[in-house]
Amino acid sequence: MRRFALIAVGIFIVWLALAGRLTLAEVVTGALVAAGVAALSRHHLALLDDIRLTPMLPVHLARYFWTFFIALVGANLDVARRVISPKPDIHPALVEVRTALTSDLGKLWLANSITLTPGTLSVDVVGDVLKVHWIDATPGRDMEHATRAIAEKFEARLKGFLS
Amino acid sequence: MAVIGDLFLVLGGLFLFLGALGIVRMPDVFNRLQAGTKAATLGALGIIAGVFFHHPGWWAKLMIIALFVLITSPVGSSTIARAALSAGIRPWRERGEDEGEGA
C-alpha cells in the first residue's frame, strides 16, 4: 500500500508536469493512469521500500541535492582541467570503498552520486564494498583513505532518508 | 533573460565539447567514461537551464528531463565500466609505477 502510494504520487506528478496545465480532464486522467501504473508495477519496485518516509524527507532531499550539485560542478571543472591540460594529468587506480548503507536503493544512490562527483566512477558493488575507478588516487589507495575521500560526504546525507 | 539563457546554452555546449574531447584524449575506457559522464551531465543540465531562461513556462518538463539525465547517465557509465572490467580490461596505469599492487 505504501509502495502503491509512492509510485502513484510520483507518476501523477510526472503526468501533471508533462501535461503542463491543470484542467479537470488532465487531473482525472492523470489520477487514473497513475493508479493503473502503480497497480501494475508495485510488485517490481521493492526498491522503494528503502526510503524512510518522514516529514523530514524533503529537507533531507534538499540537503542531499545541494551537496550533490556542488560536487557535480566541481567534478566538471576538475575533469575539464584534466582534459585540456597538455599531458592528461591523471593518476588512476581502482580502489575499494566500504559503505555503511545497507539497503539496495541506498547503495545504488551512493554509487550514482560517486559516479557524478570529481574523479570517481563506480564500477561494481559486491556486498557492502563498492569498486571505484579513481582518476587521481594520490590521497591513498587503501580502503580507509578511499572511503573517507569518496563516500563519506554523501553517506552522511543519504543516511537521513535511506538505510 | 534571453542573454542569461544564451550564456547557459554556450556553457552547456562548452562542457559537452570538453566531454567529447576527453573521450578522445583519455587513455582507457574508465578514464574516458569519467570525462564523458561528468561533462556530458553538466553540459546537458546547462542546456536545460538555458532553455528554461528562454521558455520559463516549460520548467516542469525541463525538471523531468534533468532528473532523467541525472539518473540514467551514471547508471549507464557504471554499467559500461562494469562490463569492461568483467570483460578483462585492466585499467591503464602510469608508466614507471610498480605493477602487482591494488586491483
Side-chain angles (χ1 to χ4, degrees), chain A residues 96-129:
Chain A
E96 296 191 322
V97 170
R98 189 180 297 283
T99 171
L101 297 165
T102 50
S103 64
D104 282 346
L105 184 62
K107 283 183 241 174
L108 170 72
W109 206 315
L110 179 67
N112 272 4
S113 306
I114 286 174
T115 296
L116 287 175
T117 51
T120 51
L121 171 72
S122 306
V123 177
D124 204 356
V125 183
V126 182
D128 64 346
V129 174

PDB file of all heavy atoms in Angstrom, chain A residues 96-129:
ATOM      1  N   GLU A  96      38.750   0.367  -3.486  1.00  0.00           N
ATOM      2  CA  GLU A  96      37.533  -0.182  -2.908  1.00  0.00           C
ATOM      3  C   GLU A  96      37.060   0.686  -1.767  1.00  0.00           C
ATOM      4  O   GLU A  96      37.865   1.217  -1.005  1.00  0.00           O
ATOM      5  CB  GLU A  96      37.773  -1.614  -2.445  1.00  0.00           C
ATOM      6  CG  GLU A  96      38.090  -2.527  -3.612  1.00  0.00           C
ATOM      7  CD  GLU A  96      38.079  -3.986  -3.215  1.00  0.00           C
ATOM      8  OE1 GLU A  96      38.530  -4.272  -2.094  1.00  0.00           O
ATOM      9  OE2 GLU A  96      37.641  -4.807  -4.026  1.00  0.00           O
ATOM     10  N   VAL A  97      35.764   0.851  -1.693  1.00  0.00           N
ATOM     11  CA  VAL A  97      35.157   1.722  -0.702  1.00  0.00           C
ATOM     12  C   VAL A  97      34.132   0.906   0.068  1.00  0.00           C
ATOM     13  O   VAL A  97      33.332   0.207  -0.533  1.00  0.00           O
ATOM     14  CB  VAL A  97      34.456   2.912  -1.398  1.00  0.00           C
ATOM     15  CG1 VAL A  97      33.615   3.682  -0.415  1.00  0.00           C
ATOM     16  CG2 VAL A  97      35.464   3.810  -2.058  1.00  0.00           C
ATOM     17  N   ARG A  98      34.196   0.981   1.404  1.00  0.00           N
ATOM     18  CA  ARG A  98      33.194   0.260   2.181  1.00  0.00           C
ATOM     19  C   ARG A  98      32.078   1.226   2.551  1.00  0.00           C
ATOM     20  O   ARG A  98      32.334   2.322   3.020  1.00  0.00           O
ATOM     21  CB  ARG A  98      33.819  -0.329   3.449  1.00  0.00           C
ATOM     22  CG  ARG A  98      32.885  -1.274   4.183  1.00  0.00           C
ATOM     23  CD  ARG A  98      33.537  -1.841   5.415  1.00  0.00           C
ATOM     24  NE  ARG A  98      34.708  -2.659   5.111  1.00  0.00           N
ATOM     25  CZ  ARG A  98      34.651  -3.910   4.649  1.00  0.00           C
ATOM     26  NH1 ARG A  98      33.501  -4.472   4.430  1.00  0.00           N
ATOM     27  NH2 ARG A  98      35.759  -4.579   4.400  1.00  0.00           N
ATOM     28  N   THR A  99      30.849   0.818   2.315  1.00  0.00           N
ATOM     29  CA  THR A  99      29.737   1.705   2.613  1.00  0.00           C
ATOM     30  C   THR A  99      28.992   1.236   3.850  1.00  0.00           C
ATOM     31  O   THR A  99      28.897   0.040   4.121  1.00  0.00           O
ATOM     32  CB  THR A  99      28.761   1.807   1.438  1.00  0.00           C
ATOM     33  OG1 THR A  99      27.608   2.513   1.864  1.00  0.00           O
ATOM     34  CG2 THR A  99      28.337   0.446   0.941  1.00  0.00           C
ATOM     35  N   ALA A 100      28.466   2.201   4.603  1.00  0.00           N
ATOM     36  CA  ALA A 100      27.673   1.866   5.785  1.00  0.00           C
ATOM     37  C   ALA A 100      26.199   1.721   5.423  1.00  0.00           C
ATOM     38  O   ALA A 100      25.389   1.329   6.243  1.00  0.00           O
ATOM     39  CB  ALA A 100      27.843   2.947   6.846  1.00  0.00           C
ATOM     40  N   LEU A 101      25.842   2.065   4.185  1.00  0.00           N
ATOM     41  CA  LEU A 101      24.448   1.915   3.760  1.00  0.00           C
ATOM     42  C   LEU A 101      24.166   0.447   3.489  1.00  0.00           C
ATOM     43  O   LEU A 101      24.970  -0.240   2.872  1.00  0.00           O
ATOM     44  CB  LEU A 101      24.189   2.742   2.500  1.00  0.00           C
ATOM     45  CG  LEU A 101      24.353   4.248   2.664  1.00  0.00           C
ATOM     46  CD1 LEU A 101      24.442   4.923   1.309  1.00  0.00           C
ATOM     47  CD2 LEU A 101      23.190   4.819   3.446  1.00  0.00           C
ATOM     48  N   THR A 102      23.028  -0.027   3.949  1.00  0.00           N
ATOM     49  CA  THR A 102      22.741  -1.448   3.804  1.00  0.00           C
ATOM     50  C   THR A 102      21.703  -1.752   2.730  1.00  0.00           C
ATOM     51  O   THR A 102      21.703  -2.828   2.153  1.00  0.00           O
ATOM     52  CB  THR A 102      22.232  -2.021   5.141  1.00  0.00           C
ATOM     53  OG1 THR A 102      21.185  -1.179   5.617  1.00  0.00           O
ATOM     54  CG2 THR A 102      23.354  -2.065   6.160  1.00  0.00           C
ATOM     55  N   SER A 103      20.811  -0.793   2.453  1.00  0.00           N
ATOM     56  CA  SER A 103      19.728  -1.094   1.516  1.00  0.00           C
ATOM     57  C   SER A 103      20.215  -0.996   0.070  1.00  0.00           C
ATOM     58  O   SER A 103      21.195  -0.329  -0.238  1.00  0.00           O
ATOM     59  CB  SER A 103      18.576  -0.118   1.740  1.00  0.00           C
ATOM     60  OG  SER A 103      18.999   1.185   1.431  1.00  0.00           O
ATOM     61  N   ASP A 104      19.502  -1.678  -0.819  1.00  0.00           N
ATOM     62  CA  ASP A 104      19.877  -1.656  -2.235  1.00  0.00           C
ATOM     63  C   ASP A 104      19.758  -0.259  -2.827  1.00  0.00           C
ATOM     64  O   ASP A 104      20.646   0.201  -3.544  1.00  0.00           O
ATOM     65  CB  ASP A 104      18.979  -2.617  -3.028  1.00  0.00           C
ATOM     66  CG  ASP A 104      19.404  -4.058  -2.849  1.00  0.00           C
ATOM     67  OD1 ASP A 104      20.525  -4.263  -2.340  1.00  0.00           O
ATOM     68  OD2 ASP A 104      18.633  -4.955  -3.205  1.00  0.00           O
ATOM     69  N   LEU A 105      18.653   0.411  -2.506  1.00  0.00           N
ATOM     70  CA  LEU A 105      18.480   1.750  -3.058  1.00  0.00           C
ATOM     71  C   LEU A 105      19.560   2.685  -2.531  1.00  0.00           C
ATOM     72  O   LEU A 105      20.081   3.524  -3.262  1.00  0.00           O
ATOM     73  CB  LEU A 105      17.087   2.290  -2.708  1.00  0.00           C
ATOM     74  CG  LEU A 105      16.754   3.647  -3.312  1.00  0.00           C
ATOM     75  CD1 LEU A 105      16.755   3.582  -4.825  1.00  0.00           C
ATOM     76  CD2 LEU A 105      15.414   4.154  -2.824  1.00  0.00           C
ATOM     77  N   GLY A 106      19.913   2.522  -1.259  1.00  0.00           N
ATOM     78  CA  GLY A 106      20.969   3.337  -0.687  1.00  0.00           C
ATOM     79  C   GLY A 106      22.277   3.169  -1.436  1.00  0.00           C
ATOM     80  O   GLY A 106      22.949   4.135  -1.786  1.00  0.00           O
ATOM     81  N   LYS A 107      22.635   1.910  -1.706  1.00  0.00           N
ATOM     82  CA  LYS A 107      23.897   1.653  -2.411  1.00  0.00           C
ATOM     83  C   LYS A 107      23.841   2.165  -3.838  1.00  0.00           C
ATOM     84  O   LYS A 107      24.814   2.717  -4.353  1.00  0.00           O
ATOM     85  CB  LYS A 107      24.197   0.151  -2.399  1.00  0.00           C
ATOM     86  CG  LYS A 107      24.726  -0.321  -1.052  1.00  0.00           C
ATOM     87  CD  LYS A 107      25.084  -1.783  -1.110  1.00  0.00           C
ATOM     88  CE  LYS A 107      24.261  -2.550  -0.120  1.00  0.00           C
ATOM     89  NZ  LYS A 107      24.444  -3.994  -0.212  1.00  0.00           N
ATOM     90  N   LEU A 108      22.687   1.976  -4.489  1.00  0.00           N
ATOM     91  CA  LEU A 108      22.521   2.470  -5.858  1.00  0.00           C
ATOM     92  C   LEU A 108      22.696   3.977  -5.906  1.00  0.00           C
ATOM     93  O   LEU A 108      23.423   4.520  -6.742  1.00  0.00           O
ATOM     94  CB  LEU A 108      21.127   2.087  -6.372  1.00  0.00           C
ATOM     95  CG  LEU A 108      20.698   2.732  -7.685  1.00  0.00           C
ATOM     96  CD1 LEU A 108      21.490   2.129  -8.834  1.00  0.00           C
ATOM     97  CD2 LEU A 108      19.216   2.555  -7.931  1.00  0.00           C
ATOM     98  N   TRP A 109      22.051   4.644  -4.946  1.00  0.00           N
ATOM     99  CA  TRP A 109      22.087   6.101  -4.906  1.00  0.00           C
ATOM    100  C   TRP A 109      23.512   6.576  -4.655  1.00  0.00           C
ATOM    101  O   TRP A 109      24.019   7.500  -5.296  1.00  0.00           O
ATOM    102  CB  TRP A 109      21.142   6.599  -3.820  1.00  0.00           C
ATOM    103  CG  TRP A 109      20.602   7.968  -4.038  1.00  0.00           C
ATOM    104  CD1 TRP A 109      21.304   9.055  -4.437  1.00  0.00           C
ATOM    105  CD2 TRP A 109      19.246   8.383  -3.903  1.00  0.00           C
ATOM    106  NE1 TRP A 109      20.480  10.133  -4.526  1.00  0.00           N
ATOM    107  CE2 TRP A 109      19.215   9.759  -4.210  1.00  0.00           C
ATOM    108  CE3 TRP A 109      18.053   7.751  -3.524  1.00  0.00           C
ATOM    109  CZ2 TRP A 109      18.032  10.501  -4.157  1.00  0.00           C
ATOM    110  CZ3 TRP A 109      16.886   8.510  -3.466  1.00  0.00           C
ATOM    111  CH2 TRP A 109      16.881   9.857  -3.794  1.00  0.00           C
ATOM    112  N   LEU A 110      24.179   5.925  -3.716  1.00  0.00           N
ATOM    113  CA  LEU A 110      25.561   6.299  -3.407  1.00  0.00           C
ATOM    114  C   LEU A 110      26.460   6.079  -4.626  1.00  0.00           C
ATOM    115  O   LEU A 110      27.281   6.929  -4.977  1.00  0.00           O
ATOM    116  CB  LEU A 110      26.065   5.481  -2.219  1.00  0.00           C
ATOM    117  CG  LEU A 110      27.503   5.765  -1.812  1.00  0.00           C
ATOM    118  CD1 LEU A 110      27.638   7.172  -1.257  1.00  0.00           C
ATOM    119  CD2 LEU A 110      28.003   4.758  -0.794  1.00  0.00           C
ATOM    120  N   ALA A 111      26.274   4.931  -5.291  1.00  0.00           N
ATOM    121  CA  ALA A 111      27.113   4.635  -6.456  1.00  0.00           C
ATOM    122  C   ALA A 111      26.916   5.682  -7.543  1.00  0.00           C
ATOM    123  O   ALA A 111      27.880   6.141  -8.161  1.00  0.00           O
ATOM    124  CB  ALA A 111      26.782   3.243  -6.994  1.00  0.00           C
ATOM    125  N   ASN A 112      25.675   6.092  -7.759  1.00  0.00           N
ATOM    126  CA  ASN A 112      25.418   7.120  -8.773  1.00  0.00           C
ATOM    127  C   ASN A 112      26.019   8.454  -8.369  1.00  0.00           C
ATOM    128  O   ASN A 112      26.589   9.161  -9.203  1.00  0.00           O
ATOM    129  CB  ASN A 112      23.912   7.291  -8.962  1.00  0.00           C
ATOM    130  CG  ASN A 112      23.363   6.346 -10.000  1.00  0.00           C
ATOM    131  OD1 ASN A 112      24.098   5.523 -10.522  1.00  0.00           O
ATOM    132  ND2 ASN A 112      22.098   6.462 -10.284  1.00  0.00           N
ATOM    133  N   SER A 113      25.905   8.798  -7.090  1.00  0.00           N
ATOM    134  CA  SER A 113      26.493  10.051  -6.633  1.00  0.00           C
ATOM    135  C   SER A 113      28.000  10.030  -6.852  1.00  0.00           C
ATOM    136  O   SER A 113      28.591  11.018  -7.285  1.00  0.00           O
ATOM    137  CB  SER A 113      26.198  10.260  -5.145  1.00  0.00           C
ATOM    138  OG  SER A 113      24.821  10.163  -4.893  1.00  0.00           O
ATOM    139  N   ILE A 114      28.616   8.895  -6.549  1.00  0.00           N
ATOM    140  CA  ILE A 114      30.060   8.780  -6.708  1.00  0.00           C
ATOM    141  C   ILE A 114      30.448   8.969  -8.167  1.00  0.00           C
ATOM    142  O   ILE A 114      31.409   9.662  -8.502  1.00  0.00           O
ATOM    143  CB  ILE A 114      30.546   7.417  -6.186  1.00  0.00           C
ATOM    144  CG1 ILE A 114      30.516   7.408  -4.655  1.00  0.00           C
ATOM    145  CG2 ILE A 114      31.956   7.111  -6.685  1.00  0.00           C
ATOM    146  CD1 ILE A 114      30.848   6.067  -4.049  1.00  0.00           C
ATOM    147  N   THR A 115      29.658   8.383  -9.063  1.00  0.00           N
ATOM    148  CA  THR A 115      29.980   8.498 -10.481  1.00  0.00           C
ATOM    149  C   THR A 115      29.947   9.946 -10.947  1.00  0.00           C
ATOM    150  O   THR A 115      30.736  10.349 -11.796  1.00  0.00           O
ATOM    151  CB  THR A 115      28.998   7.664 -11.311  1.00  0.00           C
ATOM    152  OG1 THR A 115      29.162   6.297 -10.963  1.00  0.00           O
ATOM    153  CG2 THR A 115      29.241   7.836 -12.789  1.00  0.00           C
ATOM    154  N   LEU A 116      29.068  10.745 -10.377  1.00  0.00           N
ATOM    155  CA  LEU A 116      28.927  12.117 -10.876  1.00  0.00           C
ATOM    156  C   LEU A 116      29.776  13.125 -10.109  1.00  0.00           C
ATOM    157  O   LEU A 116      29.634  14.314 -10.299  1.00  0.00           O
ATOM    158  CB  LEU A 116      27.466  12.538 -10.829  1.00  0.00           C
ATOM    159  CG  LEU A 116      26.606  11.876 -11.905  1.00  0.00           C
ATOM    160  CD1 LEU A 116      25.150  12.247 -11.735  1.00  0.00           C
ATOM    161  CD2 LEU A 116      27.074  12.257 -13.282  1.00  0.00           C
ATOM    162  N   THR A 117      30.679  12.669  -9.237  1.00  0.00           N
ATOM    163  CA  THR A 117      31.488  13.620  -8.489  1.00  0.00           C
ATOM    164  C   THR A 117      32.955  13.511  -8.883  1.00  0.00           C
ATOM    165  O   THR A 117      33.342  12.578  -9.574  1.00  0.00           O
ATOM    166  CB  THR A 117      31.320  13.401  -6.980  1.00  0.00           C
ATOM    167  OG1 THR A 117      31.536  12.025  -6.714  1.00  0.00           O
ATOM    168  CG2 THR A 117      29.943  13.802  -6.546  1.00  0.00           C
ATOM    169  N   PRO A 118      33.776  14.454  -8.420  1.00  0.00           N
ATOM    170  CA  PRO A 118      35.111  14.611  -9.002  1.00  0.00           C
ATOM    171  C   PRO A 118      35.935  13.341  -9.081  1.00  0.00           C
ATOM    172  O   PRO A 118      36.230  12.713  -8.061  1.00  0.00           O
ATOM    173  CB  PRO A 118      35.786  15.620  -8.064  1.00  0.00           C
ATOM    174  CG  PRO A 118      34.671  16.384  -7.492  1.00  0.00           C
ATOM    175  CD  PRO A 118      33.523  15.438  -7.389  1.00  0.00           C
ATOM    176  N   GLY A 119      36.277  12.956 -10.286  1.00  0.00           N
ATOM    177  CA  GLY A 119      37.293  11.938 -10.486  1.00  0.00           C
ATOM    178  C   GLY A 119      36.959  10.532 -10.066  1.00  0.00           C
ATOM    179  O   GLY A 119      37.840   9.689 -10.008  1.00  0.00           O
ATOM    180  N   THR A 120      35.707  10.240  -9.776  1.00  0.00           N
ATOM    181  CA  THR A 120      35.404   8.878  -9.346  1.00  0.00           C
ATOM    182  C   THR A 120      34.294   8.294 -10.194  1.00  0.00           C
ATOM    183  O   THR A 120      33.381   8.982 -10.617  1.00  0.00           O
ATOM    184  CB  THR A 120      34.969   8.849  -7.878  1.00  0.00           C
ATOM    185  OG1 THR A 120      33.943   9.811  -7.675  1.00  0.00           O
ATOM    186  CG2 THR A 120      36.123   9.149  -6.968  1.00  0.00           C
ATOM    187  N   LEU A 121      34.385   6.977 -10.436  1.00  0.00           N
ATOM    188  CA  LEU A 121      33.409   6.295 -11.276  1.00  0.00           C
ATOM    189  C   LEU A 121      33.137   4.928 -10.659  1.00  0.00           C
ATOM    190  O   LEU A 121      34.050   4.116 -10.519  1.00  0.00           O
ATOM    191  CB  LEU A 121      33.982   6.128 -12.683  1.00  0.00           C
ATOM    192  CG  LEU A 121      33.227   5.262 -13.673  1.00  0.00           C
ATOM    193  CD1 LEU A 121      31.959   5.938 -14.126  1.00  0.00           C
ATOM    194  CD2 LEU A 121      34.100   4.962 -14.886  1.00  0.00           C
ATOM    195  N   SER A 122      31.898   4.692 -10.259  1.00  0.00           N
ATOM    196  CA  SER A 122      31.574   3.399  -9.666  1.00  0.00           C
ATOM    197  C   SER A 122      31.638   2.323 -10.727  1.00  0.00           C
ATOM    198  O   SER A 122      31.129   2.493 -11.821  1.00  0.00           O
ATOM    199  CB  SER A 122      30.163   3.420  -9.076  1.00  0.00           C
ATOM    200  OG  SER A 122      30.034   4.483  -8.186  1.00  0.00           O
ATOM    201  N   VAL A 123      32.286   1.212 -10.391  1.00  0.00           N
ATOM    202  CA  VAL A 123      32.425   0.137 -11.366  1.00  0.00           C
ATOM    203  C   VAL A 123      31.602  -1.077 -10.961  1.00  0.00           C
ATOM    204  O   VAL A 123      30.989  -1.724 -11.800  1.00  0.00           O
ATOM    205  CB  VAL A 123      33.903  -0.251 -11.544  1.00  0.00           C
ATOM    206  CG1 VAL A 123      34.042  -1.406 -12.495  1.00  0.00           C
ATOM    207  CG2 VAL A 123      34.699   0.936 -12.057  1.00  0.00           C
ATOM    208  N   ASP A 124      31.572  -1.381  -9.668  1.00  0.00           N
ATOM    209  CA  ASP A 124      30.889  -2.603  -9.260  1.00  0.00           C
ATOM    210  C   ASP A 124      30.523  -2.506  -7.778  1.00  0.00           C
ATOM    211  O   ASP A 124      31.144  -1.760  -7.027  1.00  0.00           O
ATOM    212  CB  ASP A 124      31.809  -3.811  -9.494  1.00  0.00           C
ATOM    213  CG  ASP A 124      31.004  -5.091  -9.649  1.00  0.00           C
ATOM    214  OD1 ASP A 124      29.774  -5.047  -9.496  1.00  0.00           O
ATOM    215  OD2 ASP A 124      31.617  -6.143  -9.927  1.00  0.00           O
ATOM    216  N   VAL A 125      29.504  -3.246  -7.389  1.00  0.00           N
ATOM    217  CA  VAL A 125      29.130  -3.328  -5.980  1.00  0.00           C
ATOM    218  C   VAL A 125      29.054  -4.799  -5.605  1.00  0.00           C
ATOM    219  O   VAL A 125      28.369  -5.570  -6.255  1.00  0.00           O
ATOM    220  CB  VAL A 125      27.751  -2.687  -5.705  1.00  0.00           C
ATOM    221  CG1 VAL A 125      27.447  -2.725  -4.223  1.00  0.00           C
ATOM    222  CG2 VAL A 125      27.690  -1.285  -6.239  1.00  0.00           C
ATOM    223  N   VAL A 126      29.810  -5.186  -4.576  1.00  0.00           N
ATOM    224  CA  VAL A 126      29.713  -6.549  -4.063  1.00  0.00           C
ATOM    225  C   VAL A 126      29.516  -6.453  -2.562  1.00  0.00           C
ATOM    226  O   VAL A 126      30.396  -5.985  -1.845  1.00  0.00           O
ATOM    227  CB  VAL A 126      30.988  -7.352  -4.373  1.00  0.00           C
ATOM    228  CG1 VAL A 126      30.830  -8.785  -3.873  1.00  0.00           C
ATOM    229  CG2 VAL A 126      31.284  -7.335  -5.858  1.00  0.00           C
ATOM    230  N   GLY A 127      28.353  -6.873  -2.083  1.00  0.00           N
ATOM    231  CA  GLY A 127      28.075  -6.754  -0.660  1.00  0.00           C
ATOM    232  C   GLY A 127      28.107  -5.299  -0.237  1.00  0.00           C
ATOM    233  O   GLY A 127      27.421  -4.470  -0.810  1.00  0.00           O
ATOM    234  N   ASP A 128      28.943  -4.973   0.748  1.00  0.00           N
ATOM    235  CA  ASP A 128      28.999  -3.576   1.170  1.00  0.00           C
ATOM    236  C   ASP A 128      30.262  -2.888   0.669  1.00  0.00           C
ATOM    237  O   ASP A 128      30.670  -1.862   1.188  1.00  0.00           O
ATOM    238  CB  ASP A 128      28.896  -3.473   2.701  1.00  0.00           C
ATOM    239  CG  ASP A 128      30.064  -4.130   3.405  1.00  0.00           C
ATOM    240  OD1 ASP A 128      30.792  -4.871   2.733  1.00  0.00           O
ATOM    241  OD2 ASP A 128      30.234  -3.905   4.611  1.00  0.00           O
ATOM    242  N   VAL A 129      30.875  -3.462  -0.370  1.00  0.00           N
ATOM    243  CA  VAL A 129      32.074  -2.861  -0.927  1.00  0.00           C
ATOM    244  C   VAL A 129      31.804  -2.381  -2.344  1.00  0.00           C
ATOM    245  O   VAL A 129      31.317  -3.131  -3.191  1.00  0.00           O
ATOM    246  CB  VAL A 129      33.239  -3.877  -0.936  1.00  0.00           C
ATOM    247  CG1 VAL A 129      34.436  -3.287  -1.666  1.00  0.00           C
ATOM    248  CG2 VAL A 129      33.621  -4.250   0.476  1.00  0.00           C
TER     249      VAL A 129
END
